[in-house]
Amino acid sequence: MFTKKQMQRQVPGAPDFTWAELTASTVVRRLGVANAPGPDQVMRLGHICASLAQPARDALGPIAVSSGFRCPGLNKAVGGAADSAHLYGAALDMVPRKVAVGRLFAWLAANAADWDQIIWEQDSLGRQWVHASLWPFGERHNRRHLLKKDPRNGGRRIELDAAEQQRLLMEKRAHGMDYGQLA
């Protein structure tokens, strides 16, 4: 368990992120549960931050983490999947501050070396974020699923077909720059 001082430390390999940012939750404070990652979750959080979140933040500017690690009580309270990657420290929900959510989604799809899922999500109130999950090499197979979730289709996650994935890559190449420059 982290001490208060340790929570403010930077994540190794991701200097713009702190452990506090990856475990913060208003729901945790309301419920009074400890949202403390163990050593395996800490390792996975560091891996996803260094591999996906920090490069995206470097390219696109400030990105807030709205959900990182979730203890079982928090995951249940927010309606998370029973086997959510958040429980294992292998997922982040991110909201960019200077570019549209779609830019973050497209940037990750075009620039991340690997991922399990990248999901452009939207809730019934219109709030949007990108859920990204990544497993360290050898733990689980990263499926490289690109998905969209929209309340207008009943909240189902729709996988992008190969043509849409190719369109994302072609758009990046046509502009001759990364999405951080298109803000």
Side-chain angles (χ1 to χ4, degrees):
M1 190 169 204
F2 286 117
T3 65
K4 199 170 194 176
K5 186 175 182 178
Q6 288 171 321
M7 292 296 286
Q8 298 309 316
R9 290 190 182 153
Q10 296 171 331
V11 175
D16 292 329
F17 290 91
T18 66
W19 296 111
E21 182 178 10
L22 304 178
T23 58
S25 169
T26 56
V27 176
V28 162
R29 287 190 289 276
R30 186 170 38 84
L31 295 175
V33 298
N35 192 40
D40 289 342
Q41 289 99 352
V42 167
M43 181 271 302
R44 290 184 199 101
L45 284 167
H47 178 67
I48 193 169
C49 280
S51 301
L52 296 180
Q54 185 66 50
R57 195 177 258 183
D58 290 345
L60 303 174
I63 294 173
V65 174
S66 59
S67 185
F69 171 74
R70 295 181 195 155
C71 67
L74 173 59
N75 192 61
K76 184 176 182 179
V78 300
D83 196 33
S84 171
H86 288 282
L87 291 164
Y88 303 95
L92 300 174
D93 291 345
M94 300 178 282
V95 179
R97 296 295 185 211
K98 291 192 174 183
V99 299
V101 171
R103 291 259 190 245
L104 174 58
F105 177 82
W107 189 92
L108 288 168
N111 292 284
D114 199 13
W115 69 84
D116 185 48
Q117 293 182 321
I118 299 173
I119 308 171
W120 182 351
E121 301 206 51
Q122 179 175 330
D123 66 15
S124 60
L125 299 175
R127 294 176 294 204
Q128 297 183 25
W129 65 94
V130 171
H131 167 92
S133 59
L134 173 69
W135 295 96
F137 180 77
E139 280 200 9
R140 292 191 185 181
H141 172 71
N142 285 309
R143 299 168 289 178
R144 298 183 64 87
H145 285 175
L146 281 177
L147 306 156
K148 285 187 181 181
K149 181 181 176 186
D150 189 324
R152 293 172 294 192
N153 69 8
R156 291 187 324 270
R157 291 179 174 166
I158 307 294
E159 185 156 10
L160 299 185
D161 63 22
E164 281 188 90
Q165 292 183 34
Q166 187 62 31
R167 185 189 56 74
L168 286 173
L169 294 173
M170 295 302 289
E171 183 178 326
K172 177 185 183 243
R173 288 187 193 117
H175 291 289
M177 58 184 88
D178 71 33
Y179 281 97
Q181 296 169 300
L182 295 174

